């Protein structure tokens, strides 16, 4: 038994040639957020507090697709969504369609703690935020020049696209228009304390050039986010594939009903239950195990455990 934490900044077709100006700020943020989460766990903060704290920090960083860095819909607007879940009680809260809320993950927690419901969306979620004094800013705050350019690229290619996609050359655009790329870059965190208490949190801006009103896997319990007494899971990738595969819940189910370890269960889901190139996840178990598998080119990820292990990475480890 021991505490453990893992976090991600999205999985997808992250090119090995990702320029340093795009890679280094993300790695620095992962490192900072990992240190923040580890410090909170060492200070005996609850896992629920820890995952909210870490995801808020990721939301506030414009280099990730959540909060300030949220990608744009086909109308050039933001529609943010988030989910949080406590493993002990299995209480959870989720929100979608947010346009002015600075930290969607904290609103999701308020839905969990202050309402009889689990999920609020769009105008109702925005009204609930105002009623509870949640910090909001004009929608223009969330629209960054980089995401305006991403939307322009996606419209020119007539596709929804991953937020890490590099600018395409003219001769690439026709092929891109038919490849059906609909990957999603989310942020997420899972944590367990030394008593085995678990929590998971996930937040996203969704897809570049997504239809207005589209809801992905992030706020759907058992798809993009799940926690129970065995494990906590936060997923990222192609939202529609994650929903079809009930990815996060399947990890827990394989542990519960087949007796698999966390690593075995997560590997089974990522390698066998969903199409290649569609999914990544971070997960921790009640006994302090941690795993971060993905079947995409890469996944921005970081983890640490009480026994001193830590990792910050993007691509698969190189083989000797």
């Amino acid at each position: 038994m021991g505490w453990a934490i893992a976090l991600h900044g999205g999985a997808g077709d992250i090119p090995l040639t990702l320029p340093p100006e795009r890679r280094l700020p993300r790695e620095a943020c992962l490192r900072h957020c990992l240190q923040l989460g580890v410090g909170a766990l060492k200070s005996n903060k609850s896992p629920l507090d820890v995952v909210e704290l870490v995801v808020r920090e990721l939301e506030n960083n414009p280099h990730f697709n959540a909060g300030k860095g949220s990608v744009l819909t086909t109308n050039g607007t933001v529609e943010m969504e988030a989910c949080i879940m406590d493993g002990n009680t299995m209480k959870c809260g989720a929100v979608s369609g947010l346009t002015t809320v600075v930290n969607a993950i904290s609103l999701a927690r308020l839905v969990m703690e202050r309402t009889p419901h689990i999920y609020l969306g769009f105008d109702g979620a925005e009204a609930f935020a105002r009623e509870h004094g949640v910090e909001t800013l004009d929608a223009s705050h969330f629209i960054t020049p980089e995401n305006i350019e991403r939307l322009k690229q996606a419209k020119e290619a007539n596709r929804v696209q991953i937020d890490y996609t590099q600018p395409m050359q003219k001769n690439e655009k026709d092929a891109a228009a038919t490849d059906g790329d609909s990957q999603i870059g989310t942020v997420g965190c899972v944590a367990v304390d030394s008593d085995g208490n678990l929590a998971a949190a996930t937040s996203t801006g969704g897809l570049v050039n997504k239809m207005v009103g589209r809801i992905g896997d992030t706020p759907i319990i058992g798809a993009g986010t799940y926690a129970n007494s065995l494990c906590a899971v936060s997923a990222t990738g192609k939202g529609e594939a994650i929903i079809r595969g009930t990815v996060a819940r399947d990890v827990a189910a394989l542990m519960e009903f087949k007796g698999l370890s966390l690593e075995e269960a997560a590997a089974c889901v990522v390698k066998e239950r969903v199409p290649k190139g569609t999914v990544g996840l971070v997960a921790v178990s009640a006994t302090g195990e941690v795993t971060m598998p993905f079947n995409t080119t890469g996944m921005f990820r970081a983890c640490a455990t009480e026994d001193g292990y830590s990792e910050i990475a993007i691509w698969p480890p190189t083989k000797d």
Side-chain angles (χ1 to χ4, degrees), residues 2-7 34 190-192 198 230-232 255 261-264 266 281-293 301-311:
W3 59 258
I5 184 172
L7 54 126
L34 184 64
V190 292
V192 59
L198 291 146
L230 295 174
C231 65
M255 293 179 71
S261 69
L262 177 74
E263 185 174 2
E264 291 169 337
L281 63 84
V282 295
V284 293
S285 73
T287 56
E289 300 167 285
V290 61
T291 190
M292 304 186 293
R301 63 197 188 276
C303 72
T305 60
E306 189 171 343
D307 63 10
Y309 178 79
S310 67
E311 177 185 352

Side-chain angles (χ1 to χ4, degrees), residues 54-110:
V54 169
V55 170
R56 280 178 63 95
E57 197 74 8
L58 289 164
E59 288 174 335
N60 293 339
N61 188 300
H63 295 290
F64 290 106
N65 177 16
K68 173 68 173 172
S70 292
V71 297
L72 306 181
T73 70
T74 188
N75 285 1
T77 56
V78 294
E79 288 185 354
M80 299 170 283
E81 49 194 17
C83 181
I84 193 166
M85 188 164 186
D86 177 70
N88 262 0
T89 64
M90 295 190 70
K91 288 183 178 179
C92 44
V95 289
S96 281
L98 303 181
T99 58
T100 68
V101 175
V102 173
N103 293 112
I105 196 64
S106 293
L107 187 64
R109 185 168 180 179
L110 280 176

Side-chain angles (χ1 to χ4, degrees), residues 5-8 26-40 50 53-61 64 187-189 302 312:
I5 184 172
L7 54 126
H8 69 76
R26 288 178 168 92
E27 288 178 332
C29 181
L30 290 175
R31 187 172 293 106
H32 166 70
C33 289
L34 184 64
Q35 292 170 348
L36 191 70
V38 167
V50 172
L53 176 71
V54 169
V55 170
R56 280 178 63 95
E57 197 74 8
L58 289 164
E59 288 174 335
N60 293 339
N61 188 300
F64 290 106
V187 302
C189 181
I312 298 171

